[in-house]
Amino acid sequence: MYDYQAPLRDYRFLLEEVFGADRLWDELANLYGVTPELAQTVLEQAARIASGELRPLNMRGDQQGCEWDDGAVRTPDGFPAAFQALGEGGWLGIAGNPDFGGQGLPKMLTVLVEEMFYSANTSLFLYATLTAGAAYCIDSHGSAAMKRLYLPKLYDGSWAGAMVLTEPHAGTDLGLLRTKAVQGRDGHYQITGTKIYISGGEHDLAENIIHLVLARLPDSPPGSKGLSLFLVPKFLPDSDGKLGARNAMHSQSLEHKMGIRGSATSVMAYEGATGFLVGKPNQGLAAMFTMMNYERLSVGIQGLGLSAGAYQGAAHYAAERRQGRSPEGAVAPDEAADPILVHPDVRRMLLYQRAHNDGGRAFAMLVGRELDKVRYSDDAAEREQAARFVGLLTPVAKAFLTDRGFDCCVLAQQVYGGAGYIVETGVEQYVRDARIAQIYEGANGIQAMDLIGRKVLRDQGATLYEFLDVLAAEAERDLADSNHRGELSDALQLLREVATKVIKESDKDARLAGAIANDFLQLLALTTYASLWARMAVFAPKDPWGNAKRETAAFFFARILPQTRALAAGIEQGLAGMDYPDNYF
Amino acid sequence: MYDYQAPLRDYRFLLEEVFGADRLWDELANLYGVTPELAQTVLEQAARIASGELRPLNMRGDQQGCEWDDGAVRTPDGFPAAFQALGEGGWLGIAGNPDFGGQGLPKMLTVLVEEMFYSANTSLFLYATLTAGAAYCIDSHGSAAMKRLYLPKLYDGSWAGAMVLTEPHAGTDLGLLRTKAVQGRDGHYQITGTKIYISGGEHDLAENIIHLVLARLPDSPPGSKGLSLFLVPKFLPDSDGKLGARNAMHSQSLEHKMGIRGSATSVMAYEGATGFLVGKPNQGLAAMFTMMNYERLSVGIQGLGLSAGAYQGAAHYAAERRQGRSPEGAVAPDEAADPILVHPDVRRMLLYQRAHNDGGRAFAMLVGRELDKVRYSDDAAEREQAARFVGLLTPVAKAFLTDRGFDCCVLAQQVYGGAGYIVETGVEQYVRDARIAQIYEGANGIQAMDLIGRKVLRDQGATLYEFLDVLAAEAERDLADSNHRGELSDALQLLREVATKVIKESDKDARLAGAIANDFLQLLALTTYASLWARMAVFAPKDPWGNAKRETAAFFFARILPQTRALAAGIEQGLAGMDYPDNYF
């Protein structure tokens, strides 16, 4: 097992050079007092916690797992103390509302903190993500009293959060949900139903757990327009936050999962549990989407964090493990063999990971930047555009960073050879943990459908074209010296052409959008990565560290970006195979 | 958990229509009495054993795992009886030498049997593969007495086999092996050393285990030219096969692995164990390669078998699970939702799997056909060419079928959504089991280096061009009616051009071959798949079953084959990124 070290130099380069945080944060009128110096302090502190507190519990969490005993759930040794440390350090409320004890730091910064914590211990940090997400949802949709009561406790880790949607017959299709909410004489609601796959639904990390539950009121319309959101606490607090009666809800069992075994996933039963309406009746799905969009970006960062964590071990192993000789002659003639890093195919695997990790990190920061504009800009037009860009890019961040993040964990494992398959080496846990990120919070196929359907076809490509214009303008402004300007320009043009064709053709056959959704998402992601890699190559310093960035950029443009041509060709024939007769699958 | 059903109709179609087994087997002068009817009987029997005997033990094998107790290894419940059933049914010797109790069936047929057994239970069938591989090695390199003594016992499962290469400091780089062999006064050898990752090194499936061990004689040259191969039995038999003394070798521990947990992987200690030289001194690596090449094809089929097995469950789930509605309007308006099979993105995932499973199966049969020519043809020129084609295609079969097999297991898991991450669903075991196939028997990067270095550059592309000529001639002869003839022809031409460039450029920079090895292997694989898919589309019957094949072919050509363009573009810039400074990885 190697020690995890946060890539602080990369973070600083991205914040200060690539994204110009200093000026950007100055320009955001409603963001106060955040400077690059503060950002460095925050990142350094987070790096210490990631390496010192979270990482040492990672493998133990996997091997020990969670234990269910008559409705109570015991998390792995050390998890409760580490969760409390996150709360006490202010990390749960890092992006939270300062009026209620949050830190109010910009998302472009906090995505990096998230990455570190996911790299170090995804299972543990998931409890934190759900807690921060629940707080964000309450802050966005809850009443003033609700905010006063719940936010400070969620931000400081006294209480934790959970997001409660899925039922056995209703996963992607939330319109099928059956859990009921009936209003009682006290004005509150009784929630009754069974929910599955509830991460953090029950555990021993905090004295209370705040469930945000989607349920159906008696007189609601059928389908997804009849869902309302309820806050259902494990223990019912009084108005001062003092805990009262245990609510009528419990964990029926824990799931046995491929990975994230330190994260307790419950089947939850609500048996007339007391709940409080969040927002308006029948608008629960929209309110829940606030939380889900927050989680979706975070799950994308989970894919990145796991990939970046796995990479470090693989790079370390490649420098230490000796087998064979360099094709250019021995580099360590006094040793029995050279480090495997000399083999071009090993370098290929590491470069592929770097290209995606650095590119994915920049992509997450780009989404963070747009989220910050939505929240902190005083320019309505800027806010409006940024909100649309967030809508466009969030499904891409979720799906592409987790798909390629998983692939990169697999490649990291491959670098180890046989040792990578052995549990004690640690990298196989990264592969198993990363796998869930492609599935939950909306499976990646759903993200792709969201992108092509809601974000591209619905406005006939207007937001997409606007986004491509911004990338082209940035290139015009900043990338005059770039080697990769021609390739970037071709990529932007290719995506524009493909999108135009898809928009035109999709009216003719209702199946087309779905058939090409996955490939279209990849095409958009790679094209955006091209823009980000061209920037990174230009802004990297003229020293060996900067040369490493430029070599990675060269690898990205030469060996990865050409995938866009294959994707474009496939999209053009998107209906091929769709007439396959059902009963021969 | 779904029931596994062997795809017998696909097998028959491939054997009789696509590969013309009837005529082919007639023409192989030294292959007696094998007819399509016999082949059907064999396949049907194997299908019953796969579903009835092996598959029910698959999940239990994973969950129970193997137990080590003071050097003894207990395999999961049911494994010993199932291994004995394989032996008694003649399945271990299915391709073995008839002079010693083998069945002598052609490889083009037995690859299908292997696929079924891997689909049903990879961990269990691995013991059988190693046993058959050890027998094959003894048959190829052992003395007459050795064959008489060992082959019948290996074929009938009384004894099992193991392949013993790796040491802690020597995996890929076998030249670093240190295990010693010293000749005693009786003419036999004492073997001393520690070996790791020894699949089937110790277990309770058979009364004896025959280890084939690479070791170094005292006066041997250093490196891989100083290795000799030794047969080291767990119990020393007399010349009648009666077991005598326990040999000085034992399992020191079992590895904890990501998957194939029913397969016992030992650290083996040899402490002056008695061994018998196989073949000549210092020619052990060549002898071992006989076994390794056999295993390499088999490991490719393992990737295919797992993928084909995982696919069946996913297709079944997609037909049963109801979420959402078809983009063309409800197909099951009386139900709350349509089967997810209606969603084009779900079809895309299933079609991707089918395209690779069917293509991979045909590819394995192609290698099998060439192996059969080597073994059973009486035409020396045909044998010579076939042997070179086997050399060319074996690393491709091993690497591509396992890489894409793994990807397809992951896609199968994705079809299940959240359920796919739950252990009890069963599909996550396929993902974990498939992962090892990319690593062992020569990691896939090593296969790619073998292909480009030994099989393409060494003869300046002669064998590759000859192989492409054969594919072109087959197309000329059989595919006049194919829709895909133009695409196939372009693909063959593209590969030829890329190979010519690589051959020309690789002299200029010693790193190029390694840098592009992986992409070149994929390019060769996809191009060969194009040939096989064009054949399958043309030969498929004009009925719904045949339409399914043609739709899959259409999907392959439209959505998968374009990857060759990206690969070709990347290969052309193969050195990009290779100057990345070492200490910044």
Side-chain angles (χ1 to χ4, degrees), chain B residues 126-385:
Chain B
L126 277 175
Y127 297 104
T129 304
L130 289 161
T131 302
Y136 184 56
C137 185
I138 293 168
D139 192 30
S140 304
H141 300 285
S143 65
M146 228 174 225
K147 292 184 202 184
R148 266 197 310 276
L149 177 55
Y150 289 95
L151 292 187
K153 298 278 194 184
L154 290 166
Y155 290 152
D156 75 7
S158 307
W159 300 351
M163 180 172 167
V164 183
L165 291 80
T166 306
E167 298 175 10
H169 57 283
T172 294
D173 191 349
L174 293 171
L176 303 177
L177 291 179
R178 291 183 197 142
T179 292
K180 284 182 185 147
V182 179
Q183 195 163 23
R185 274 168 297 180
D186 57 0
H188 305 322
Y189 295 83
Q190 268 74 54
I191 313 293
T192 305
T194 300
K195 298 280 189 174
I196 62 170
Y197 303 156
I198 307 306
S199 301
E202 179 57 56
H203 56 68
D204 57 359
L205 300 180
E207 62 179 26
N208 202 6
I209 305 176
I210 310 306
H211 291 219
L212 290 168
V213 182
L214 274 188
R216 199 177 286 285
L217 291 166
D219 50 356
S220 291
S224 58
K225 287 172 185 163
L227 298 174
S228 305
L229 185 63
F230 299 90
L231 188 159
V232 188
K234 178 177 166 187
F235 290 97
L236 293 161
D238 68 15
S239 57
D240 294 329
K242 200 168 151 244
L243 296 186
R246 180 74 157 80
N247 211 344
M249 56 202 275
H250 68 277
S251 168
Q252 287 190 317
S253 61
L254 289 182
E255 301 287 3
H256 306 110
K257 308 192 302 296
M258 182 186 192
I260 52 163
R261 292 193 182 143
S263 168
T265 308
S266 279
V267 176
M268 288 296 307
Y270 302 85
E271 292 153 323
T274 299
F276 308 97
L277 185 67
V278 181
K280 292 184 183 159
N282 299 332
Q283 296 190 11
L285 200 61
M288 184 58 98
F289 261 96
T290 305
M291 185 167 169
M292 274 166 63
N293 272 328
Y294 182 99
E295 302 288 351
R296 281 176 176 181
L297 176 58
S298 189
V299 170
I301 297 165
Q302 178 184 334
L304 164 64
L306 285 163
S307 174
Y311 167 81
Q312 287 194 10
H316 181 79
Y317 187 84
E320 298 285 318
R321 171 74 171 172
R322 293 174 179 278
Q323 295 284 280
R325 290 296 185 190
S326 164
E328 298 182 292
V331 302
D334 299 341
E335 304 277 350
D338 290 340
I340 62 171
L341 188 55
V342 302
H343 299 299
D345 187 61
V346 172
R347 300 175 90 83
R348 171 191 67 82
M349 291 193 277
L350 294 173
L351 284 163
Y352 186 92
Q353 294 166 64
R354 282 213 79 106
H356 281 96
N357 292 343
D358 290 8
R361 183 178 297 133
F363 192 92
M365 291 175 71
L366 177 65
V367 183
R369 182 185 72 185
E370 299 305 310
L371 281 165
D372 290 335
K373 288 181 189 167
V374 174
R375 189 160 174 185
Y376 297 112
S377 171
D378 61 354
D379 176 340
E382 184 176 37
R383 286 201 306 270
E384 188 276 336
Q385 184 194 58

Side-chain angles (χ1 to χ4, degrees), chain B residues 527-540:
Chain B
T527 306
T528 312
Y529 277 36
S531 164
L532 294 163
W533 265 116
R535 287 185 79 76
M536 289 191 273
V538 160
F539 286 104

Side-chain angles (χ1 to χ4, degrees), chain B residues 367 369-370 373 384-394 462-464 466-468 470:
Chain B
V367 183
R369 182 185 72 185
E370 299 305 310
K373 288 181 189 167
E384 188 276 336
Q385 184 194 58
R388 283 185 294 113
F389 285 179
V390 167
L392 182 75
L393 299 177
T394 295
T463 298
L464 173 64
E466 208 174 320
F467 177 65
L468 295 177
V470 168

Side-chain angles (χ1 to χ4, degrees), chain A residues 36-199:
Chain A
E37 293 70 37
L38 174 67
Q40 285 314 310
T41 306
V42 168
L43 292 171
E44 282 163 19
Q45 284 178 354
R48 274 197 291 278
I49 290 169
S51 297
E53 314 247 352
L54 303 192
R55 170 87 182 149
L57 304 176
N58 190 46
M59 187 182 283
R60 188 197 301 173
D62 182 62
Q63 295 187 350
Q64 188 181 344
C66 298
E67 282 166 47
W68 186 96
D69 181 16
D70 196 23
V73 170
R74 190 186 144 96
T75 59
D77 296 348
F79 272 42
F83 184 81
Q84 285 310 310
L86 287 176
E88 286 158 20
W91 300 104
L92 303 178
I94 185 173
N97 188 340
D99 295 343
F100 303 99
Q103 308 290 322
L105 290 173
K107 196 74 187 172
M108 194 171 82
L109 171 61
T110 62
V111 293
L112 301 175
V113 174
E114 288 185 64
E115 182 201 321
M116 286 186 259
F117 291 162
Y118 279 125
S119 288
N121 192 329
T122 286
S123 286
L124 177 53
F125 188 56
L126 277 175
Y127 298 105
T129 303
L130 288 162
T131 301
Y136 184 58
C137 186
I138 293 167
D139 192 31
S140 304
H141 301 285
S143 65
M146 228 175 225
K147 293 184 200 183
R148 267 196 309 276
L149 177 54
Y150 289 96
L151 292 186
K153 298 279 194 185
L154 289 166
Y155 290 151
D156 75 7
S158 307
W159 301 350
M163 180 172 168
V164 183
L165 291 81
T166 307
E167 298 175 10
H169 57 285
T172 294
D173 192 349
L174 293 171
L176 303 178
L177 292 179
R178 291 182 198 143
T179 293
K180 283 182 185 148
V182 179
Q183 195 163 24
R185 273 166 301 180
D186 58 0
H188 306 321
Y189 294 82
Q190 268 73 55
I191 313 292
T192 305
T194 300
K195 298 281 190 174
I196 62 169
Y197 303 155
I198 308 306
S199 301

